[in-house]
């Protein structure tokens, strides 16, 4: 069960200046939170609300279709290559890094039980694309092109390069090595996939990229890699039932959303640090950073007033960043709310041998690395509280399909509730459109000629 400990955000622990009077705040906000939870649970069934990601745990047809495809291609491919960016990649990266055995791609096929290796191309760095193409045998690779809009320049340029190579290497058979994940009706990839005869998976309507990890966007690669999709679905569904609870005292997503919101608006904590104490959870911070930043960072609220809101997410990793960022967290500006993720039971245990008697390191002998990482998590939490820095801690029992699905779904609901508290639209991203359009102009896309000239001048002068 996922647990939240928010004690170290309370004024009784970290003082009035930086802490919240949670008893009072929970009372004051209880009706508002209850209304928000009721409202999002009604709107999740309505078109155009951007909330249909809340229903992904109940999409049995898609799960069946994806599993059937995975069993059909079982044993055919050595590699899965996902092309996608932003919400089309970050969830897949986060979940596979958490759930696959560490160093998966370095394991032998026997150690991987014959399951494929996994690669995500989520950038357009020519060196890394060329580097990957140098090591991949495309004949043994299944390429999954994921773009909801179907025309994202980064993803479609990768697709064009790889499709061209595959055609040269595989002849007409290349079509059997490509699948597309995109919108049901719209977009260029949808058209291309039809023309080419690719297998297509759909991103459902009203499911934005950053909320799409449990749609086909994520579950296709998860199924191909042998992850337990049923347990993922069970995790989402059970968490969904818990988070329908309208009493803030019983709803951890509402509690963390409200604490984040109040810490920002009342206590000036404008930076939100996500710090899991587990290397396998490292990329959950990347996924979370996008979810939080793109959903909440908005110029206008729903009443059209300029708010320039949102808190800045920072990705950190325990214990590594104790030797990098912790100095700043303890002594720098007190403008951060730090969220830790703790794991009760790691997948393995590692004992530190009792081989030295030096006082400085001898004490480690006979303990486990498991003890050490959790001791470091506790110490960090306590020092931060000593320095009156607010922190919250989520604890998961272990890293498996069920618990990871619960954690991610909870963060999605937390973000949705925070969006309602800020009174902003958490499901659009107007702030990224301008750079997209400028790129189109610079790269000569038809219809953008007008801005191309003035843009060239700006590039020289800015
Ligand atoms: O959350 C989002 O909507 C974005 O981050 C998108 O996922 C990202 O821009 C990629 O878009 P698309 O899937 O259309 O290629």
């Amino acid at each position: 069960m996922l647990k939240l400990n928010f004690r170290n955000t309370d004024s009784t622990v970290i003082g009035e200046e930086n802490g919240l009077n949670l008893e009072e705040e929970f009372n004051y906000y209880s009706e508002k939170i209850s209304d928000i939870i009721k409202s999002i649970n009604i709107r999740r069934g309505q078109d155009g609300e951007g909330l249909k990601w809340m229903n992904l745990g109940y999409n049995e047809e898609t799960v069946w279709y994806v599993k059937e495809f995975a069993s059909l291609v079982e044993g055919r491919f050595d590699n899965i290559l996902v092309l996608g960016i932003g919400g089309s990649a970050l969830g897949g990266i986060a979940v596979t890094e958490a759930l696959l055995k560490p160093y998966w791609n370095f394991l032998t096929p026997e150690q991987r039980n014959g399951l494929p290796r996994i690669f995500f191309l989520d950038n357009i760095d020519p060196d890394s694309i060329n580097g990957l193409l140098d090591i991949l045998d495309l004949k043994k690779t299944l390429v999954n092109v994921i773009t909801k809009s179907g025309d994202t320049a980064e993803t479609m340029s990768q697709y064009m390069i790889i499709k061209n190579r595959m055609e040269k290497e595989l002849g007409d058979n290349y079509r059997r090595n490509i699948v597309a994940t995109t919108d049901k009706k719209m977009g260029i990839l949808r058209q291309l996939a039809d023309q080419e005869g690719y297998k297509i998976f759909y991103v459902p309507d009203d499911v934005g990229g950053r909320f799409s990890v449990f749609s086909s966007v994520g579950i296709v690669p998860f199924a191909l890699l042998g992850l337990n999709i049923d347990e993922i679905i069970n995790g989402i569904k059970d968490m969904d039932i818990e988070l329908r609870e309208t009493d803030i005292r019983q709803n951890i997503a509402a509690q963390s959303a409200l604490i984040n919101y109040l810490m920002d608006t009342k206590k000036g904590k404008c930076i939100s640090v996500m710090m899991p104490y587990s290397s396998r959870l490292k990329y959950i911070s990347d996924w979370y950073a996008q979810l939080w930043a793109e959903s909440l960072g908005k110029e206008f609220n729903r009443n059209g007033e300029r708010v320039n809101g949102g808190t800045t997410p920072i990705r950190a990793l325990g214990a590594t960043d104790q030797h990098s960022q912790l100095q700043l967290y303890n002594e720098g500006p007190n403008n951060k709310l730090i969220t830790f993720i703790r794991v009760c039971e790691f997948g393995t245990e590692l004992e530190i041998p009792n081989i030295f008697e030096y006082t400085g390191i001898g004490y480690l002998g006979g303990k486990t690395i498991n003890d050490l990482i959790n001791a470091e998590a506790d110490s960090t939490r306590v020092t931060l509280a000593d320095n009156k820095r607010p922190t919250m801690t989520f604890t998961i029992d272990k890293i498996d399909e069920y618990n990871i699905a619960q954690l991610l779904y909870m963060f999605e609901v937390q973000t949705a509730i925070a969006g309602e508290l800020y009174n902003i639209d958490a499901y659009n991203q107007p702030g990224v459109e301008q750079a997209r359009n400028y790129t189109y102009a610079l790269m000569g896309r038809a219809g953008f000629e007008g801005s191309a000239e003035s843009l060239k001048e700006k590039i020289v002068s800015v």
Side-chain angles (χ1 to χ4, degrees):
M1 235 192 72
L2 179 60
K3 292 191 199 75
L4 170 64
N5 178 347
F6 48 73
R7 229 175 60 84
N8 288 358
T9 60
D10 197 279
S11 52
T12 54
V13 179
I14 56 169
E16 293 282 329
E17 197 183 332
N18 297 291
L20 299 165
N21 184 333
L22 287 174
E23 183 59 30
E24 211 174 275
E25 299 291 8
F26 281 9
N27 285 339
Y28 183 79
Y29 277 93
S30 85
E31 202 178 317
K32 183 163 178 106
I33 289 288
S34 166
D35 289 346
I36 287 175
I37 294 168
K38 282 183 204 146
S39 160
I40 59 174
N41 277 295
I42 293 170
R43 285 156 48 214
R44 67 192 279 175
Q46 296 170 356
D47 293 342
E49 293 288 335
L51 282 160
K52 294 224 169 127
W53 53 270
M54 295 181 83
N55 305 327
L56 293 172
Y58 305 91
N59 205 342
E60 276 131 34
E61 206 182 310
T62 303
V63 169
W64 181 87
Y65 183 70
V66 168
K67 279 190 194 167
E68 195 199 45
F69 174 72
S71 68
L72 266 175
V73 298
E74 198 178 326
R76 259 187 61 202
F77 298 104
D78 289 349
N79 312 301
I80 307 294
L81 170 59
V82 173
L83 311 181
I85 196 163
S88 291
L90 287 162
I93 296 172
V95 172
T96 54
E97 285 285 334
L99 296 179
L100 292 174
K101 202 167 182 220
Y103 305 104
W104 179 256
N105 286 350
F106 294 97
L107 302 179
T108 63
E110 292 71 37
Q111 288 168 325
R112 284 184 270 115
N113 291 324
L115 290 161
R117 301 184 296 172
I118 175 79
F119 299 90
F120 287 89
L121 265 187
D122 69 340
N123 203 356
I124 40 170
D125 178 288
D127 295 340
S128 69
I129 298 176
N130 271 323
L132 183 62
L133 289 173
D134 284 346
I135 61 160
L136 278 189
D137 177 357
L138 291 177
K139 292 195 180 83
K140 294 279 179 88
T141 301
L142 178 68
V143 175
N144 183 4
V145 198
I146 308 181
T147 159
K148 182 175 164 74
S149 60
D151 67 356
T152 298
E154 294 88 343
T155 306
M156 291 310 281
S157 58
Q158 292 167 351
Y159 163 71
M160 286 151 84
I161 292 165
I162 287 165
K163 184 235 171 207
N164 197 38
R165 290 238 182 158
M166 280 191 142
E167 205 169 351
K168 281 192 187 131
E169 283 187 33
L170 281 83
D172 271 353
N173 284 338
Y174 77 92
R175 293 186 177 87
R176 297 169 57 201
N177 288 37
I178 300 179
V179 298
T181 306
T182 190
D183 190 83
K184 201 170 205 157
K185 299 179 211 100
M186 290 174 348
I188 298 167
L189 182 61
R190 178 73 179 85
Q191 286 173 38
L192 281 173
D194 274 342
Q195 279 162 26
E196 296 279 319
Y198 300 151
K199 178 90 178 166
I200 309 179
F201 299 95
Y202 300 117
V203 188
D205 293 342
D206 285 327
V207 175
R210 55 192 174 274
F211 291 90
S212 69
V213 57
F214 299 122
S215 72
S216 305
V217 169
I219 62 170
V220 172
F222 304 158
L224 293 167
L225 291 161
L227 297 180
N228 189 334
I229 303 296
D230 294 332
E231 275 301 281
I232 290 180
I233 298 295
N234 288 340
I236 311 169
K237 278 197 208 159
D238 287 352
M239 185 48 73
D240 181 44
I241 291 166
E242 272 185 47
L243 300 182
R244 284 173 195 247
E245 172 61 61
T246 54
D247 177 359
I248 184 165
R249 288 189 166 71
Q250 310 296 329
N251 186 320
I252 55 173
Q255 291 163 354
S256 60
L258 182 64
I259 291 169
N260 270 282
Y261 170 73
L262 293 174
M263 278 292 176
D264 173 27
T265 53
K266 283 191 154 179
K267 303 289 170 186
K269 312 302 176 207
C270 56
I271 294 176
S272 158
V273 178
M274 180 57 66
M275 189 164 178
Y277 269 78
S278 155
S279 296
R280 293 171 69 184
L281 303 187
K282 180 176 178 182
Y283 292 94
I284 287 186
S285 301
D286 285 32
W287 170 84
Y288 176 80
Q290 187 219 6
L291 180 71
W292 195 250
E294 223 168 48
S295 301
L296 303 181
K298 298 288 151 76
E299 183 173 5
F300 296 104
N301 68 12
R302 280 199 165 117
N303 305 332
E305 294 149 352
R306 178 168 280 115
V307 288
N308 296 114
T311 60
T312 304
I314 300 282
R315 305 160 236 202
L317 178 68
T320 309
D321 281 309
Q322 288 183 205
H323 299 267
S324 155
Q325 301 182 32
L326 186 60
Q327 171 62 33
L328 173 78
Y329 298 169
N330 263 321
E331 296 188 0
N334 194 345
N335 58 357
K336 300 167 198 69
L337 169 61
I338 301 173
T339 302
F340 297 116
I341 308 175
R342 290 276 301 266
V343 180
C344 280
E345 219 183 286
F346 285 87
T348 56
E349 197 175 78
L350 189 56
E351 195 178 315
I352 308 165
N354 219 336
I355 48 174
F356 295 119
E357 283 178 6
Y358 300 101
T359 321
I361 55 171
Y363 69 96
L364 294 167
K367 313 277 177 16
T368 64
I369 285 280
N370 308 52
D371 297 332
L372 181 60
I373 194 165
N374 280 334
E376 297 209 15
D378 283 336
S379 315
T380 303
R381 195 161 52 84
V382 174
T383 35
L384 286 160
D386 288 348
N387 289 314
K388 314 232 172 295
R389 314 283 159 142
T391 66
M392 295 195 287
T393 304
F394 286 101
T395 304
I396 58 172
D397 289 342
K398 53 184 174 176
I399 300 176
D400 62 8
E401 280 85 343
Y402 184 86
N403 284 286
I404 291 299
Q406 290 224 313
L407 183 69
L408 266 51
Y409 184 74
M410 190 283 307
F411 280 136
E412 291 178 339
V413 177
Q414 173 196 301
T415 306
I417 297 173
E420 300 298 318
L421 287 165
Y422 283 104
N423 188 29
I424 50 89
D425 182 346
Y427 309 104
N428 63 6
Q429 49 282 326
V432 301
E433 292 307 318
Q434 196 170 4
R436 216 184 240 241
N437 292 342
Y438 281 173
T439 306
Y440 292 153
L442 288 178
M443 295 296 285
R445 180 172 166 167
F448 292 82
E449 299 82 355
S451 47
E453 279 315 305
S454 64
L455 194 56
K456 280 178 191 149
E457 279 167 32
K458 274 193 197 170
I459 288 173
V460 177
S461 62
V462 172

